[in-house]
């Protein structure tokens, strides 16, 4: 039974890691390599390689190597490669940002690097100019092609050359039927920042603004706000809190939330609720719908609702979300 549970946990974590619409990941390997000089041209096994694609061919196809493990075995070598591929769409319609959202060093593109040091549950990485509050995950790779998410991570400081990330519990797989892994972050694990940043929830005041933002941020896969509204209706919560947004994002495996208010779009990290960036975005400023644009109607308030906004019923859309975001 324990083996079955462990397989279920591994399968769930692997599916979660692979569920990014525009960022693919795979692990390929090659065992019993006699001459290391041939590793770039021989076909790799596992993952998308399937014994047909070499390391050089993977790179030509747009795959980046996030990690490589080399294990000597009886005068031969076993190689394991962890690849990631970021697929972007080139057409942005009425373009307001570039393909990487590069303003202020913000990008939705996943960034991978190996953990080389750990002290007091923190690690210093050789990547600078990151955003404090930027988050990601830590992946442990074993048995050639198996991988397990072992921790969340967030940037707590950054300068021009290095950044410090802090690890915190990964509890996205909230399932009573599955056991929780006790594995902790180890040196050699892979840190993936911006994990699922292109899977997003979009909060806007009107249908027109909803469509306009979605059309202009085509790099992101937006879950419809109706799904969030349906959950709020079931829970009798017409005025969502920060915790409601974060809980829903974990359930839906979302990395960012886009809030449109006061003719700007704010991009927020779901794990830390940090504003990663904001963009001026003109849309028709008509009377916004509370709590946001949705086709779900009559979200009734529970008689036991004691929201932190005692005067929430008097707030309009922009005022409400300015409070949510701390603006």
């Amino acid at each position: 039974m324990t083996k079955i549970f462990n397989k279920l946990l591994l399968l769930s974590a692997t599916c979660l890691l692979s569920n990014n619409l525009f960022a693919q990941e795979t692990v390929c390997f090659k065992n019993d390599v006699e001459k290391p000089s041939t590793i770039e041209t021989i076909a790799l096994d596992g993952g998308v390689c399937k014994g047909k694609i070499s390391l050089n061919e993977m790179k030509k196809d747009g795959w980046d190597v996030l990690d490589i493990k080399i294990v000597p075995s009886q005068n031969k070598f076993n190689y394991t490669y962890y690849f990631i591929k970021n697929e972007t769409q080139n057409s942005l319609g009425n373009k307001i940002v570039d393909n990487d959202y590069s303003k202020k060093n913000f990008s939705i593109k996943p960034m991978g690097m190996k953990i080389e040091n750990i002290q007091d549950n923190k690690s210093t990485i050789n990547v600078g100019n990151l955003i404090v509050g930027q988050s990601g995950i830590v992946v442990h790779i074993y048995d050639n092609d198996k991988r397990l998410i072992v921790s969340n991570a967030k940037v707590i400081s950054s300068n021009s050359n290095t950044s410090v990330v802090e690890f915190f519990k990964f509890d996205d797989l909230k399932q009573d039927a599955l056991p929780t892994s006790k594995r902790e972050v180890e040196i050699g694990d892979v840190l993936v920042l911006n994990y699922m940043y292109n899977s997003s929830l979009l909060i806007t005041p009107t249908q027109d603004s909803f469509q306009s933002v979605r059309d202009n941020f085509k790099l992101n896969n937006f879950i419809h706000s109706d799904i969030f509204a349906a959950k709020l209706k079931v829970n009798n919560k017409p005025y969502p809190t920060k915790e409601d947004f974060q809980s829903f994002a974990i359930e839906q495996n979302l990395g960012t939330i886009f809030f449109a208010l006061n003719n700007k779009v704010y991009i927020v990290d779901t794990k830390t609720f940090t504003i990663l960036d904001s963009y001026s975005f003109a849309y028709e400023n008509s009377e916004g719908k509370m709590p946001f644009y949705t086709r779900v109607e009559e979200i009734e308030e529970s008689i036991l609702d004691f929201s932190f906004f005692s005067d929430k019923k008097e707030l309009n859309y922009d005022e409400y979300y300015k409070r949510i975001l701390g603006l």
Side-chain angles (χ1 to χ4, degrees), residues 36-66:
S37 60
T38 65
I39 188 61
E40 294 187 350
T41 56
I42 59 177
L44 302 176
D45 298 316
V48 302
C49 299
K50 298 180 180 179
K52 299 178 180 179
I53 306 175
S54 69
L55 174 61
N56 284 343
E57 291 171 330
M58 289 289 285
K59 291 179 178 179
K60 288 181 181 179
D61 193 36
W63 292 90
D64 295 320
V65 178
L66 286 191

Side-chain angles (χ1 to χ4, degrees), residues 201 203 225 228-233 235-248 257 259 273 289-294 299-301 305 307-309 312 315 317 319-325:
L201 173 65
I203 301 298
S225 52
F228 184 39
K231 181 177 178 61
L232 295 176
K233 183 169 184 177
N235 294 334
N236 298 116
K237 299 200 69 175
Y239 304 97
T241 64
K242 167 185 170 182
E243 290 73 23
D244 292 326
F245 281 107
Q246 289 181 301
S247 176
F248 177 78
I257 305 173
F259 292 91
F273 225 71
K289 179 178 180 179
M290 283 291 286
F292 46 79
Y293 162 66
T294 174
I299 305 177
E300 298 179 357
E301 186 174 9
D305 179 30
S307 172
F308 70 106
F309 289 160
K312 57 185 178 296
L315 298 176
Y317 173 91
E319 292 170 337
Y320 187 84
Y321 286 103
K322 283 176 66 176
R323 289 201 186 186
I324 286 283
L325 298 178

Side-chain angles (χ1 to χ4, degrees), residues 132-151:
V132 173
Q134 202 169 341
S135 74
I137 58 171
V138 179
V139 180
H140 177 74
I141 304 173
Y142 60 99
D143 292 345
N144 289 328
D145 60 347
K146 297 182 176 65
R147 56 269 199 206
L148 182 67
I149 301 174
V150 297
S151 179

